[in-house]
Amino acid sequence: MAAAAYDAAHHHPDADTRKQNQSFYEFMVPLVKGYSTEMSLEVTSAAVQVHGGMGFIEETGVAQYYRDAKILTIYEGTTAIQANDLVGRKTSRDGGQTARAIAAQIQDTEADLNKNGSADALAVARRLQGARLAFLEVVAFVADQTRASPNAVFAGSVPYLMLAGNLMAGWQLARAWLVAQEQLAQGVDEAFMRAKLVTARFYADHLLTRAPGLRDAILDGADSVTGLALESF
Ligand SMILES: Cc1cc2nc3c(=O)[nH]c(=O)nc-3n(C[C@H](O)[C@H](O)[C@H](O)COP(=O)(O)OP(=O)(O)OC[C@H]3O[C@@H](n4cnc5c(N)ncnc54)[C@H](O)[C@@H]3O)c2cc1C
């Protein structure tokens, strides 16, 4: 989606559409770099765990993926630097306007899911809504407080990056759910489409549910980030 927005930002015939796509793309860059790379560590760590002791030693090859994944969060500029970019240039600078425009698109996807009305669609829509509302609370905090209380906002910059990335990934899976449902109804590639539906539901149940906790950490957690005296280190 970020790559498609980049193309539209450069090649769409309409100037306003080019501008909107440019803002969308720029907002997505720290999420693509930061959230995806942090999640690659979580995924490869789980892969080692699944293989147990044989995963930790070299025979299965999975430990190599884990080690390779660790550099991804460093050599694209580090997660904290991507998070600083998300707070400063991508959210605070336009007063949260781009973030809110993306949230409105997510709300449209929720409406499509609710219209479908199946138990799975309603479950995914409910979790997407919970994550979107958590995101909007944090966007308001970042947009309003970055100048007045920079330490309070930047203390939560990485959790904000993870919340926003989590929401965007859940949104894309929800869109995939809607497409897979249609394809399944037409009898296209049944096993693949069913896997898409289950994956989207799993993500909604087990990962989108992290968003409200991240919101609480960002809105209420700054004091304990900066609480230790320098001499304590
Ligand atoms: C294998 C490898 C390949 C690389 N390839 C390239 C390449 O092709 N091109 C290229 O340009 N660079 C490359 N790099 C360099 C890479 O871009 C830097 O390592 C990276 O930007 C981090 O900088 P640093 O190592 O100086 O860490 P530092 O900037 O010293 O950061 C150390 C820690 O402090 C945190 N930190 C630093 N500043 C802040 C801040 N203001 N707020 C909050 N936290 C902060 C960081 O997040 C990090 O956790 C490569 C590095 C490696 C290891």
Side-chain angles (χ1 to χ4, degrees):
M1 202 170 188
Y6 181 85
D7 285 349
H10 285 85
H11 299 296
H12 199 281
D14 178 58
D16 275 350
T17 309
R18 281 202 301 278
K19 203 168 153 220
Q20 279 165 18
N21 275 281
Q22 184 66 27
S23 304
F24 179 92
Y25 168 71
E26 285 176 4
F27 191 88
M28 289 297 161
V29 167
L31 307 182
V32 169
K33 289 186 176 186
Y35 181 73
S36 308
T37 55
E38 285 294 336
M39 289 308 285
S40 76
L41 271 174
E42 195 172 321
V43 168
T44 50
S45 171
V48 170
Q49 189 72 15
V50 165
H51 287 87
M54 287 301 286
F56 183 75
I57 59 172
E58 296 305 322
E59 270 69 5
T60 60
V62 75
Q64 184 65 47
Y65 291 120
Y66 188 26
R67 199 174 310 113
D68 289 349
K70 185 56 247 182
I71 192 56
L72 302 177
T73 63
I74 298 170
Y75 70 9
E76 279 283 354
T78 79
T79 304
I81 299 302
Q82 301 303 336
N84 288 353
D85 182 43
L86 180 67
V87 166
R89 293 195 303 167
K90 308 298 167 61
T91 306
S92 170
R93 195 157 72 181
D94 73 358
Q97 202 182 323
T98 303
R100 289 192 185 98
I102 297 170
Q105 290 187 53
I106 296 172
Q107 198 171 5
D108 290 343
T109 302
E110 289 163 29
D112 290 340
L113 289 162
N114 284 325
K115 208 162 120 194
N116 175 284
S118 71
D120 270 353
L122 295 178
V124 173
R126 185 162 72 96
R127 297 306 181 191
L128 200 53
Q129 182 188 34
R132 175 176 57 82
L133 294 177
F135 171 72
L136 283 171
E137 279 186 68
V138 173
V139 167
F141 172 67
V142 171
D144 296 346
Q145 297 298 321
T146 301
R147 290 229 170 90
S149 315
N151 287 350
V153 174
F154 281 95
S157 64
V158 171
Y160 172 39
L161 174 102
M162 296 307 285
L163 194 172
N166 178 296
L167 173 63
M168 299 309 154
W171 177 33
Q172 296 314 303
L173 284 167
R175 293 178 65 226
W177 190 98
L178 288 161
V179 174
Q181 183 69 22
E182 273 175 30
Q183 297 287 304
L184 200 57
Q186 291 167 26
V188 179
D189 207 344
E190 194 170 322
F192 179 80
M193 296 305 163
R194 284 202 189 286
K196 282 278 172 203
L197 298 181
V198 175
T199 305
R201 174 74 194 260
F202 177 89
Y203 191 95
D205 288 346
H206 295 274
L207 284 102
L208 275 175
T209 43
R210 292 177 184 180
L214 287 165
R215 172 203 54 208
D216 294 348
I218 297 159
L219 299 185
D220 302 329
D223 286 351
S224 53
V225 173
T226 53
L228 276 182
L230 211 51
E231 306 80 63
S232 307
F233 289 91

